[in-house]
Amino acid sequence: MQDANISKLNFEACQKCSLCNEVCPMMAANPLYPGPKKAGPDQERYRLKDPEFYDYALKYCLGCKRCEVACPSGVQVADLIQKARLEYAPASKHPLRDAMLANTDFVGTLASPFAPIVNEVLPLKPVKAVLDGAFGIDAHRTFPKYSAEKFTTWFARHAKKAQEGFDSHVSYFHGCYANYNYPQLAKDFVKVMNAAGYGVHLLEKERCCGVALVANGFEKQARRQAKVNIASMGKAVSKGEPVLTTSSSCTLMMGREYGEVLGLPTEGYRDSLSLACKWLYEKIESGEVKLKFRKDFRMKLSYHTACHMQRLGWQNYTIELLRMIPGVQLTVLDQNCCGISGTFGFKKEYYPYSQKVGSVLFEDIRTSNPQAVVTECETCKWQIEMSTGIPVLNPISVLAAAVE
Amino acid sequence: MAGESSKPTKNREYDVIIVGGGITGACTARDCALRGLRTLLIEREDLCDGASGRNHGLLHSGARYAVSDPEGARECIKENLILKKIASNCVERTGGLFISLPEDGLEWQANFVQKCHEAGIPAKILDPEKVKREIPVVNQAIIGAVSVPDASVDPFRLTDANALDAIRHGADVLKFAEVEDFVKDGGRVVGVKVRSKDGLAEYRGSQTVLSAGIWAAGLAEKAGVHISMLPSRGALLVFGHRVADVVINRCRKPANADIIVPDDAVSVLGTTSDKVPFDQCDDMRVTPAEVELLLKEGVQLVPCLAQTRILRAYAGVRPLVSEGGDGRSVSRGIVLLDHEQRDGVPGLITITGGKLTTARLMAEMTTDLLCSKLGIKARCRTADVALPGSEKPVRKATGEYYSLAAKGRHGSEGRKMDFTGTGAELVCECEQVTRAEIVYCIKEFGVRNLQDLRRHCRIGMGTCQGNHCVRRAAEILAEELGCPELARQFVDDYLQERWKGMTPVLWGDTLREAEFMRNRYGRKDYEI
C-alpha cells in the first residue's frame, strides 16, 4: 500500500525549490505577478478549497512555459495556471478586442479580401488612436500585414497539381499566419519539401490551432476547432503522412496542449506531428533526404529560441539544420522571452510589461547585429521586428532561399 | 489573548476555575463569562493542544451516531445548526455523504435513514449514479449514497474564538501553567495550585471544573475522586490537498478510517480506535500499522487517496468514560460529574466525554450546574451570540489576494491586521500566511513558539511542513517577542515536531521534502 502511495497529482510534486520563479520572465518584469510557484502549485491547493482564492494577477502569465522547462519535479506549472484561468478568470473588460485577437482565422478571412485597404488603414495614426482608446490595443503596436491572396487560394491555383508528381507526401498544417498574413512562408515550405523530394498535401480541414483562444479564455471554441484538427490530422497520419508545421506555437498547442489542457485524445497523430525543421533534420541525418544548397548563399543570422520551441525542446534540430547551410554565419542567442506572448503584447494594459520582458533579448539581438533573426514563432517575429527593426525569418524561409 | 489584560490578577477571587483549555474548557469559560461569573481558565500548554486539536475537524450532523446513540445524534444536529450560526467563520458548510459499497449492502442504509429522521437529521437518499458523476473521486463502486448536513470545522479557530469571547467578557486565561494539586478546605475544593515558568501559584475559586479530557482522571485522583476513563486513541492522516469538497463517510456500523473530511486546504482521513494505557496518552506517535490500516480503508471511500501525497500522520486520545468495553461501543455521550453529590467532594465538577461538535452544549450543562451551585440565575446565551470573527460574514473576494486567507481564517477579526508596508509579505507559502497575520496572532494569542503559532494561523501546516517558512516565521516571532537569540530554538523545535508527524509517512514526495529539509537544517550551523 505504501509503495503504491506515490502522488500522481502533478502539483503535489512541487518542492518549492523556486527554479520556476528564477526563469519566469514576467516575475522579473512585473512585481504584481506572483510568479509560477505561487500562481501554480501553491494557489492550486487554495483554489481547490474555494474558487474565491483565484488570484486576478494570473492574467499576467505569459504562457511561455519556461517554468515547466525548469521544474526538476516535472510539475506542469503553466498548465495549472492556464487551467485555472479557463475555470475561474472573470470576464474580460475588453471582450470584443479579445475575441478579435483570439479569432485569428475568422479575422483573417474577413481581412484578406480587403488586404490592401486594411494594411493601409491599420497603421494610420487616427485609427491607432481609436484602437487604443476604445479597443484597448496599444497604439505602439504594429499590426501584421494581411495578404491579398490566401496561401490556400494560391496553393489550389498554382501548386496543388504539381504535388501529385511526387511519390511521397507530407501533410502541412500551415496555420493562420502563413495563410492570411504571410503566405510566402507556406510557399517556402512547399519549395523546400519539393526540393527534398516530397509533395505537399493540405489537411482535409484546418482550423486555427486555438492557442490564442485558450490564452483569451475561449475554451469551448478552442475545443471545437481542436476536434476538427484532430480528425484531419488523424486522417493524414492514417494515410502514412507526417503532419508538418512551420509554427512552434501551433505545434505545441496541437501536440501537447490539446491533451494536457483541453483533455482531448491526441494519440492518433501526436507522434507524427512535427515541425518541418525537426523532420527535415532527421531525414537528412538518416540519409533519406539530401538538400543541395546554393554555393553563393551568404547570410549572418541570429537564432532566437521561441519559448514554446524551448518547451518542445526541439531548437537544436533547427540550429543544426541552419548550420548545414554553407555560407550561414549563425549566432545562437541566449534563451530569453521576447515578451509578446501571442496576443498578450497587443493589449494596452500589458504592452509595457511585454516590452520590458523583451528588452534583454532586444539588446542581445542588437549586439549580435545579424542580417536577420531566425525563429519559428510568428508573434516573436512581430515583436522583434517592431522593437529592433531587424527582419525576422522562419528557418524554412532561410532554407528556401538557400536551396538550389 | 494571553496579553497582559487576560492574565489572572493576584489574589482575585474567582467564582469558577476551569482546568483544561481544550474546546470544552474554552466553551465553558465563555458561557461562564457571558453569565457574569468571575472565571479563570487554566491550560498546561497552549489552548487546543490535546484531543481538541487532534481530531477530524468534523462538525457532525449526528448521522454517524443515529443508529447506535440516538441521544448523541439529536445533540449533534442541534449543535451543528447552532455552530453554523454562531461560528460561521469556523465552519465550512461542506455537507456530508454516507456511501454504501457492495459489501455493505443497502440494509444498513434503510435503517440509518429512518434513525436519522427520528433524530431530526435531514438525511436524503441520493441516486448513486448522480453522486458518481458529480463527485468523480468517490469510489465508483457505490451502490447507495445519503446526504446529511455534516460540515468541516476548524477546532483551533473555534477554541480561540470561545476563549477570545470569554476574555472580552471578563474571564482570565492562564496558559502554559499546569495544575499540580487542589487547594482544600476541609473536604471542599477551594482552588488550585499551579506551576508555571514563574513558579508555584495558588488561585482560589468557589467551584473548580475539570475539562482536561483524558487528563481529568489523573487530576481527579488528587482530589480523592476516581473517574473510570478509557483512553481511546485515534490516528489520522493528512493528505496534501482537497480530494473532495464534501465529508465522505461509510454507511455501515462505524469502524476504522471510514471518514474523510475536507479541512482548509487538506483532506483528513481517520480514524483508528485503540485502547491505550494512561501512561501513553502523551506519546502521540503514529505507527506504521496504523498508517497501513488507514490507507487500506481510506481508499475504499476515495480510491485516489492511494496516489495522493500524505503530509503527515497524527493521533489524539478520546476521553471516554467507561466501565469496560472496546472503545467504539462505549457511548461517546456527555458526562457531567458533580463530585459533591457523587463523591462527597464539594467544589469540584468534571465535564468529559462528548465531542467537538457538542462542546457548547457540554459547557451549557456545566455552567447551568455551576449557576445552581452558586445561586446565580442567568440564562445561557452562547447559542444566540455570534463568536468573535463570526459576527458578520466576510466577503473574502473584496480583499487583496494576500489578505484572503487571513480573512478566511479570522473572519471579521481580520480587520485588526495591518497589511500595509511589510505586512503583506508572504511568510508561509503553502497556507498563505502573511507577516500581518503572524504579528496579529502573536499579539492576540500570546504565543510562545512556532508550534503555538501554527494553531492560530496554520503556518507550516501545508505541503512543505515548514521547510520554507520556518526561518522567516522564527525571525518574526523572535523579533516580536524581543528575544532574537531564540530564533534558532524556534526553528529546531518546530521542525522536530513536524518531523514526528512526517516519519510515519516517509515515501514519495514527502520523503523528497524531508530530505530537502534534512539537507537544509540537518547541520548545526545552518543559516538563520
Side-chain angles (χ1 to χ4, degrees), chain B residues 422-433:
Chain B
T422 55
E425 265 175 23
L426 193 66
V427 179
C428 167
E429 297 163 44
C430 304
E431 299 297 333
Q432 324 226 343
V433 187

PDB file of all heavy atoms in Angstrom, chain B residues 422-433:
ATOM      1  N   THR B 422       5.389  46.050   5.216  1.00  0.00           N
ATOM      2  CA  THR B 422       5.839  44.665   5.147  1.00  0.00           C
ATOM      3  C   THR B 422       4.732  43.689   5.550  1.00  0.00           C
ATOM      4  O   THR B 422       4.902  42.486   5.425  1.00  0.00           O
ATOM      5  CB  THR B 422       7.050  44.437   6.075  1.00  0.00           C
ATOM      6  OG1 THR B 422       6.668  44.860   7.390  1.00  0.00           O
ATOM      7  CG2 THR B 422       8.258  45.214   5.616  1.00  0.00           C
ATOM      8  N   GLY B 423       3.607  44.209   6.033  1.00  0.00           N
ATOM      9  CA  GLY B 423       2.519  43.349   6.490  1.00  0.00           C
ATOM     10  C   GLY B 423       2.028  42.373   5.445  1.00  0.00           C
ATOM     11  O   GLY B 423       1.606  41.270   5.760  1.00  0.00           O
ATOM     12  N   ALA B 424       2.087  42.779   4.175  1.00  0.00           N
ATOM     13  CA  ALA B 424       1.580  41.925   3.104  1.00  0.00           C
ATOM     14  C   ALA B 424       2.584  40.859   2.668  1.00  0.00           C
ATOM     15  O   ALA B 424       2.270  40.012   1.851  1.00  0.00           O
ATOM     16  CB  ALA B 424       1.184  42.782   1.909  1.00  0.00           C
ATOM     17  N   GLU B 425       3.784  40.893   3.226  1.00  0.00           N
ATOM     18  CA  GLU B 425       4.808  39.891   2.874  1.00  0.00           C
ATOM     19  C   GLU B 425       4.293  38.493   3.167  1.00  0.00           C
ATOM     20  O   GLU B 425       3.785  38.215   4.250  1.00  0.00           O
ATOM     21  CB  GLU B 425       6.046  40.091   3.759  1.00  0.00           C
ATOM     22  CG  GLU B 425       7.114  40.916   3.153  1.00  0.00           C
ATOM     23  CD  GLU B 425       8.243  41.155   4.155  1.00  0.00           C
ATOM     24  OE1 GLU B 425       8.403  40.360   5.102  1.00  0.00           O
ATOM     25  OE2 GLU B 425       8.931  42.164   3.976  1.00  0.00           O
ATOM     26  N   LEU B 426       4.495  37.600   2.216  1.00  0.00           N
ATOM     27  CA  LEU B 426       4.047  36.229   2.413  1.00  0.00           C
ATOM     28  C   LEU B 426       5.128  35.460   3.156  1.00  0.00           C
ATOM     29  O   LEU B 426       6.281  35.450   2.750  1.00  0.00           O
ATOM     30  CB  LEU B 426       3.790  35.583   1.055  1.00  0.00           C
ATOM     31  CG  LEU B 426       3.024  34.281   1.093  1.00  0.00           C
ATOM     32  CD1 LEU B 426       1.615  34.507   1.572  1.00  0.00           C
ATOM     33  CD2 LEU B 426       3.017  33.650  -0.280  1.00  0.00           C
ATOM     34  N   VAL B 427       4.765  34.848   4.259  1.00  0.00           N
ATOM     35  CA  VAL B 427       5.740  34.105   5.041  1.00  0.00           C
ATOM     36  C   VAL B 427       5.594  32.605   4.780  1.00  0.00           C
ATOM     37  O   VAL B 427       6.535  31.928   4.410  1.00  0.00           O
ATOM     38  CB  VAL B 427       5.598  34.417   6.545  1.00  0.00           C
ATOM     39  CG1 VAL B 427       6.608  33.604   7.355  1.00  0.00           C
ATOM     40  CG2 VAL B 427       5.790  35.900   6.793  1.00  0.00           C
ATOM     41  N   CYS B 428       4.389  32.079   4.955  1.00  0.00           N
ATOM     42  CA  CYS B 428       4.141  30.662   4.679  1.00  0.00           C
ATOM     43  C   CYS B 428       3.426  30.554   3.341  1.00  0.00           C
ATOM     44  O   CYS B 428       2.311  31.047   3.185  1.00  0.00           O
ATOM     45  CB  CYS B 428       3.275  30.057   5.783  1.00  0.00           C
ATOM     46  SG  CYS B 428       2.591  28.440   5.399  1.00  0.00           S
ATOM     47  N   GLU B 429       4.111  29.940   2.374  1.00  0.00           N
ATOM     48  CA  GLU B 429       3.576  29.909   1.014  1.00  0.00           C
ATOM     49  C   GLU B 429       2.454  28.884   0.866  1.00  0.00           C
ATOM     50  O   GLU B 429       1.512  29.091   0.119  1.00  0.00           O
ATOM     51  CB  GLU B 429       4.691  29.590   0.018  1.00  0.00           C
ATOM     52  CG  GLU B 429       5.768  30.660  -0.004  1.00  0.00           C
ATOM     53  CD  GLU B 429       7.049  30.166  -0.648  1.00  0.00           C
ATOM     54  OE1 GLU B 429       6.979  29.520  -1.695  1.00  0.00           O
ATOM     55  OE2 GLU B 429       8.122  30.419  -0.077  1.00  0.00           O
ATOM     56  N   CYS B 430       2.581  27.761   1.572  1.00  0.00           N
ATOM     57  CA  CYS B 430       1.566  26.719   1.418  1.00  0.00           C
ATOM     58  C   CYS B 430       0.222  27.191   1.965  1.00  0.00           C
ATOM     59  O   CYS B 430      -0.812  26.982   1.358  1.00  0.00           O
ATOM     60  CB  CYS B 430       1.968  25.458   2.151  1.00  0.00           C
ATOM     61  SG  CYS B 430       3.554  24.788   1.682  1.00  0.00           S
ATOM     62  N   GLU B 431       0.235  27.799   3.134  1.00  0.00           N
ATOM     63  CA  GLU B 431      -1.026  28.188   3.767  1.00  0.00           C
ATOM     64  C   GLU B 431      -1.267  29.688   3.651  1.00  0.00           C
ATOM     65  O   GLU B 431      -2.166  30.232   4.293  1.00  0.00           O
ATOM     66  CB  GLU B 431      -1.047  27.738   5.229  1.00  0.00           C
ATOM     67  CG  GLU B 431      -0.944  26.220   5.404  1.00  0.00           C
ATOM     68  CD  GLU B 431      -2.113  25.456   4.796  1.00  0.00           C
ATOM     69  OE1 GLU B 431      -3.217  26.021   4.699  1.00  0.00           O
ATOM     70  OE2 GLU B 431      -1.921  24.300   4.389  1.00  0.00           O
ATOM     71  N   GLN B 432      -0.439  30.367   2.858  1.00  0.00           N
ATOM     72  CA  GLN B 432      -0.658  31.771   2.532  1.00  0.00           C
ATOM     73  C   GLN B 432      -0.766  32.646   3.777  1.00  0.00           C
ATOM     74  O   GLN B 432      -1.708  33.423   3.925  1.00  0.00           O
ATOM     75  CB  GLN B 432      -1.908  31.905   1.675  1.00  0.00           C
ATOM     76  CG  GLN B 432      -2.046  30.745   0.742  1.00  0.00           C
ATOM     77  CD  GLN B 432      -2.390  31.139  -0.666  1.00  0.00           C
ATOM     78  OE1 GLN B 432      -2.830  32.232  -0.938  1.00  0.00           O
ATOM     79  NE2 GLN B 432      -2.157  30.253  -1.586  1.00  0.00           N
ATOM     80  N   VAL B 433       0.205  32.499   4.653  1.00  0.00           N
ATOM     81  CA  VAL B 433       0.209  33.293   5.880  1.00  0.00           C
ATOM     82  C   VAL B 433       1.131  34.490   5.691  1.00  0.00           C
ATOM     83  O   VAL B 433       2.298  34.327   5.324  1.00  0.00           O
ATOM     84  CB  VAL B 433       0.690  32.460   7.090  1.00  0.00           C
ATOM     85  CG1 VAL B 433       0.511  33.249   8.375  1.00  0.00           C
ATOM     86  CG2 VAL B 433      -0.054  31.139   7.165  1.00  0.00           C
TER      87      VAL B 433
END
